[in-house]
Amino acid sequence: MLESRPEDRDLDERLDELIPLSAGPIKTLVASAAVVGAAIASTVLIMGGYLYPRPTFGSSFSSGSFLEVGPARNAVSATVMMPNNSSRSVRITDIAFDGPGADVVDVGVILDPPYETQTSDVGVESSVATPILPRNQAAMPLPIVVPAGRTATVVVWFRPTDCIDKPGPWGLVDATVDFGDGAFPPFSNTVSLHQDPVAFIDLDGNADNGGESMMMQDADGSMREISGPLAGACEALR
Amino acid sequence: MMKRIIDAAARRRWPLTVLAFITILGPFVVARPDGEGTNIAAVVLVLAAIALIFLLAVNLSGRDPDADARALEVAPDSLSAVLFARWMRRSKHFRFVGGLCGAILGLGFATGSLASPLVGLLAGVAFGGAAAEVHSFQGRPRSARSADITARHMGDYVTPTDTVALAVIAAAAMCLMVVAVTTGAGRWGSFWPAMAALVAVAAATAMQRAVVVRRRPALSDDLRRADDVMRRLAATQGFTRPAIAFALVMLSQGLATFGNSTTVTVAVLALWMLAIAWYVASRQSRANLRALIGS
């Protein structure tokens, strides 16, 4: 290693004032490893959703496959899934719905039941069926806590103000989430479910719901195909 | 033999670290559900993990076997070489630690692409390069005995290209922010990257000034000249150029929200290319060092 001439007593001191000599490999290693360790710990906390709510990180999810007419025929509901894949419970405090040509009447959240299995007498494991309730009965008002590992289904009731579906994505949802009152850290986050609109409308005004045609469930439980969410809603509420 | 292995690990720190990391991830990616080949994967995993720990230990200890040779090659005299070697070791080590931390933190924010770890790496390198200069702000009672009161100016230490780049990036970032605010919801995605670019420019400029005007004891002419060159290296290669690279990438992230048109795609690619060029210019290669020390 290059060092100053031994005959110059002040030189080392002068150099040290300009730029300090390295602390030595062991001290440097320990200090640097501590910094990198802190970065790793922070990353683990971030990825686990402990530092700020990020329930949908690293997950794929989908919209509900059909619209549903409310029992009083005053609104139509659409759904978007929001899985909580983080390691911490999050609370949904607000939902913003971007669906041109529709007025939002109400929003709610259905907390999907935890996955349960049962083992038969012969040792075969199967999932436990849970009853499916109509959306207006199952959906709960905001705010609602979504435990880690569970999936929330965001339900938006709307009334159409226009009956013509325009090309492009329709039914984009932003969910505002936090850790709850008094929780630490007190950060909130807006989770965009933008990659998952309720429907994509093609240039002919037809809905493409993930490669499938779009369906409408009427108040009596019957299903029928619709061309788009606005046209279908207008027809159903007429 | 061992010394040669350690020196090789220090010389090729980034490629070897990335290779070891990918090798560790490999068995998880190619693992077959039927469990076949699990033993081989486990052996590869353990060997790669040992290699990664060894690489990190060597490089986190601040080893830089070529610093003296590089300093001797570019320094005009032996005294300058001593000073340069110290700065090179310190700056390179801080940049590596900063870059590694940035890339790790970037992984936490990654959403399926490499952009986030790369952005983190650039930000970390810039931050580490700036942190390497922070020693000068620590109080040292001994330094009060004498002082050099020669007037120093930014223009003597900072290259015109970097100054123009910082100004252009600041102007572009402000334009993006104005567009984001005035056009509403659809463009908000460009606001925060533009803000990050502006903050990077402001921090780099403030740090440049801090390095240029920091105190200096009364020195011999030789040592003062060497210190001037060291300040020039710090204010350009140390943190300014990585900060410019980071700011350019943030501008590209902001522009990317304007859609997938050919113009936008070309602009985003051009900004990434420029960022890579500025990062390469910030490395302690002999050519880069000669260009700065000779100027």
Side-chain angles (χ1 to χ4, degrees):
Chain A
M1 184 184 284
L2 283 173
E3 270 312 321
S4 54
R5 292 164 294 183
E7 62 269 23
D8 193 341
R9 280 195 218 165
D10 285 339
L11 190 57
D12 279 343
E13 199 175 304
R14 285 275 181 264
L15 290 173
D16 288 348
E17 284 185 57
L18 295 175
I19 185 163
L21 193 59
S22 167
I26 302 297
K27 275 189 182 174
T28 307
L29 174 61
V30 170
S32 306
V35 173
V36 173
I40 292 171
S42 301
T43 302
V44 169
L45 290 175
I46 290 167
M47 290 179 93
Y50 289 103
L51 289 189
Y52 71 95
R54 50 184 333 208
T56 56
F57 175 66
S59 61
S60 59
F61 42 93
S62 61
S63 299
S65 56
F66 59 91
L67 302 181
E68 188 178 295
V69 181
R73 285 189 170 277
N74 62 348
V76 169
S77 66
T79 61
V80 179
M81 313 286 271
M82 196 203 78
N84 180 7
N85 282 351
S86 71
S87 303
R88 191 172 175 184
S89 296
V90 298
R91 183 179 67 166
I92 303 175
T93 57
D94 190 31
I95 287 166
F97 182 77
D98 179 15
D103 275 348
V104 176
V105 175
D106 198 7
V107 293
V109 172
I110 299 171
L111 198 55
D112 290 1
Y115 185 75
E116 288 179 28
T117 58
Q118 62 184 14
T119 307
S120 69
D121 295 341
V122 290
V124 177
E125 204 171 74
S126 60
S127 59
V128 177
T130 48
I132 299 173
L133 294 170
R135 289 171 183 168
N136 65 310
Q137 289 178 33
M140 291 174 282
L142 301 179
I144 184 169
V145 173
V146 184
R150 299 276 292 277
T151 297
T153 301
V154 174
V155 187
V156 180
W157 283 273
F158 67 91
R159 287 184 64 82
T161 55
D162 187 351
C163 295
I164 299 168
D165 293 289
K166 295 185 175 60
W170 186 91
L172 307 170
V173 172
D174 282 340
T176 304
V177 290
D178 64 14
F179 291 131
D181 290 331
F184 183 84
F187 300 137
S188 67
N189 186 22
T190 300
V191 180
S192 295
L193 308 177
H194 281 184
Q195 66 271 50
D196 183 41
V198 170
F200 282 100
I201 314 299
D202 65 21
L203 291 172
D204 298 324
N206 294 317
D208 176 9
N209 194 4
E212 295 175 10
S213 56
M214 195 160 197
M215 305 295 286
M216 172 77 77
Q217 183 176 5
D218 222 326
D220 60 5
S222 61
M223 299 285 280
R224 62 189 167 81
E225 193 173 324
I226 54 173
S227 61
L230 293 178
C234 283
E235 197 178 325
L237 300 181
R238 198 169 288 152
Chain B
M1 178 66 179
M2 193 61 195
K3 186 175 177 300
R4 287 174 67 179
I5 293 173
I6 290 172
D7 286 351
R11 285 191 183 103
R12 297 279 173 263
R13 54 183 70 188
W14 280 116
L16 289 174
T17 304
V18 170
L19 183 67
F21 187 70
I22 289 172
T23 312
I24 286 175
L25 289 181
F28 294 107
V29 176
V30 301
R32 290 170 51 171
D34 57 8
E36 198 172 310
T38 308
N39 290 340
I40 298 170
V43 171
V44 171
L45 189 71
V46 170
L47 289 176
I50 291 169
L52 184 62
I53 290 167
F54 171 75
L55 278 165
L56 289 178
V58 168
N59 287 302
L60 292 179
S61 69
R63 188 171 181 81
D64 184 358
D66 296 334
D68 291 340
R70 284 199 312 275
L72 278 171
E73 269 188 44
V74 295
D77 53 67
S78 60
L79 198 57
S80 303
V82 174
L83 200 62
F84 291 176
R86 279 194 186 194
W87 179 82
M88 285 175 191
R89 279 201 179 85
R90 183 178 173 88
S91 182
K92 197 168 188 176
H93 175 64
F94 273 67
R95 283 170 50 127
F96 177 75
V97 174
L100 189 62
C101 290
I104 290 168
L105 285 168
L107 276 177
F109 294 98
T111 51
S113 77
L114 273 178
S116 185
L118 281 175
V119 169
L121 186 142
L122 286 175
V125 168
F127 187 83
E133 306 302 325
V134 169
H135 65 86
S136 310
F137 310 127
Q138 296 163 356
R140 282 195 297 274
R142 285 185 304 172
S143 63
R145 291 190 304 183
S146 67
D148 180 307
I149 54 170
T150 314
R152 278 165 268 149
H153 306 284
M154 290 273 275
D156 298 334
Y157 299 91
V158 182
T159 65
T161 315
D162 289 346
T163 306
V164 170
L166 287 170
V168 169
I169 290 168
M174 282 191 276
C175 286
L176 261 183
M177 288 165 71
V178 169
V179 170
V181 171
T182 52
T183 56
R187 295 279 180 254
W188 271 104
S190 64
F191 182 85
W192 294 112
M195 174 69 111
L198 198 59
V199 168
V201 168
T205 308
M207 198 65 204
Q208 281 178 335
R209 182 169 168 72
V211 166
V212 169
V213 302
R214 74 187 175 198
R215 67 187 171 206
R216 176 160 74 184
L219 301 169
S220 66
D221 287 347
D222 286 352
L223 205 48
R224 194 170 61 229
R225 273 193 296 274
D227 179 58
D228 278 339
V229 175
M230 191 182 70
R231 284 172 200 251
R232 189 183 306 151
L233 289 171
T236 50
Q237 281 195 333
F239 54 85
T240 301
R241 288 179 179 173
I244 290 173
F246 168 72
L248 286 167
V249 168
M250 293 319 291
L251 278 186
S252 82
Q253 302 280 85
L255 264 184
T257 61
F258 283 72
N260 295 323
S261 69
T262 310
T263 313
V264 171
T265 307
V266 168
V268 167
L269 271 176
L271 286 171
W272 268 98
M273 292 295 116
L274 279 172
I276 291 169
W278 245 282
Y279 174 73
V280 170
S282 82
R283 299 186 74 236
Q284 286 183 11
S285 68
R286 286 172 174 81
N288 286 341
L289 291 169
R290 280 202 192 98
L292 278 169
I293 292 171
S295 63

